[in-house]
Amino acid sequence: MGWKLRPSTTPDAVWIAELRAVVMRPDLERLHRYDPTWVRERFLRAFVSENTWVIVVDGQDVGSVAVREEPDAVWIEHFYLDPSVQGKGLGGAVLTHVLEKWDTGASFRLNVLQGSAAHRLYERHGFTLESEDAVDVFMVRSRVES
């Protein structure tokens, strides 16, 4: 599947918030945490266009990923794919690209909802459990010293 990343713009926040609501709904409902207003508002409050990339397939915006660099870690956030492109290797391809492009020597960190299928994707790419609570699993991919 051919794809590319494009920088996000402020107007992208609205459709990404909608995508987030669709993608996260099953897991949030399973965890008894789904609120249709909150799921969108939380994203809109956290959206930083300078850190966010839109995933494009065949000219269509199908997802997003945000990368936030901190002194001790690179955070992968807001990684959402439209259900129509899930399960086709796109998530793995995008994640591999992010891990290569933003390799600063620091660890990569992210969080995923308990029971989410995305957890397996992150494990396949070297992420391990750092901590967890009833809702979130925090994962880290430590820098491998050569």
Side-chain angles (χ1 to χ4, degrees), residues 76 92 95-96 99 106-110 118-130 138-144:
I76 299 171
L95 184 56
T96 297
L99 294 172
S107 296
F108 285 91
R109 285 189 157 72
L110 55 81
H119 189 267
R120 290 187 305 276
L121 169 69
Y122 300 133
E123 285 181 329
R124 286 194 305 270
H125 283 81
F127 284 84
T128 59
L129 174 69
E130 184 171 41
F138 294 88
M139 302 183 80
V140 62
R141 182 177 189 259
S142 298
R143 173 81 172 150
V144 178

Side-chain angles (χ1 to χ4, degrees), residues 46-66:
F47 179 75
V48 178
S49 64
E50 295 81 12
N51 295 346
T52 306
W53 297 84
V54 173
I55 302 162
V56 181
V57 173
D58 296 329
Q60 298 292 323
D61 297 338
V62 298
S64 70
V65 63

Side-chain angles (χ1 to χ4, degrees), residues 10-145:
T10 301
D12 288 317
V14 174
W15 74 263
I16 296 171
E18 290 301 314
L19 177 61
R20 178 183 197 266
V22 168
V23 170
M24 293 184 72
R25 184 173 185 159
D27 287 327
L28 289 170
E29 285 180 338
R30 179 179 41 76
L31 295 166
H32 306 288
R33 300 283 183 172
Y34 183 74
D35 177 295
T37 301
W38 175 86
V39 73
R40 291 166 177 87
E41 285 180 359
R42 183 170 181 199
F43 173 79
L44 292 170
R45 283 195 308 269
F47 179 75
V48 178
S49 64
E50 295 81 12
N51 295 346
T52 306
W53 297 84
V54 173
I55 302 162
V56 181
V57 173
D58 296 329
Q60 298 292 323
D61 297 338
V62 298
S64 70
V65 63
V67 181
R68 179 172 50 91
E69 294 181 61
E70 295 290 333
D72 64 338
V74 177
W75 282 88
I76 299 171
E77 303 171 315
H78 307 300
F79 189 8
Y80 312 120
L81 289 175
D82 187 276
S84 69
V85 296
Q86 290 179 11
K88 299 178 181 179
L90 179 59
V94 171
L95 184 56
T96 297
H97 175 79
V98 167
L99 294 172
E100 291 172 356
K101 180 173 177 154
W102 279 276
D103 183 2
T104 66
S107 296
F108 285 91
R109 285 189 157 72
L110 55 81
N111 70 297
V112 62
L113 291 172
Q114 285 282 3
S116 171
H119 189 267
R120 290 187 305 276
L121 169 69
Y122 300 133
E123 285 181 329
R124 286 194 305 270
H125 283 81
F127 284 84
T128 59
L129 174 69
E130 184 171 41
S131 65
E132 62 185 325
D133 59 31
V135 176
D136 292 304
V137 177
F138 294 88
M139 302 183 80
V140 62
R141 182 177 189 259
S142 298
R143 173 81 172 150
V144 178
E145 299 298 326

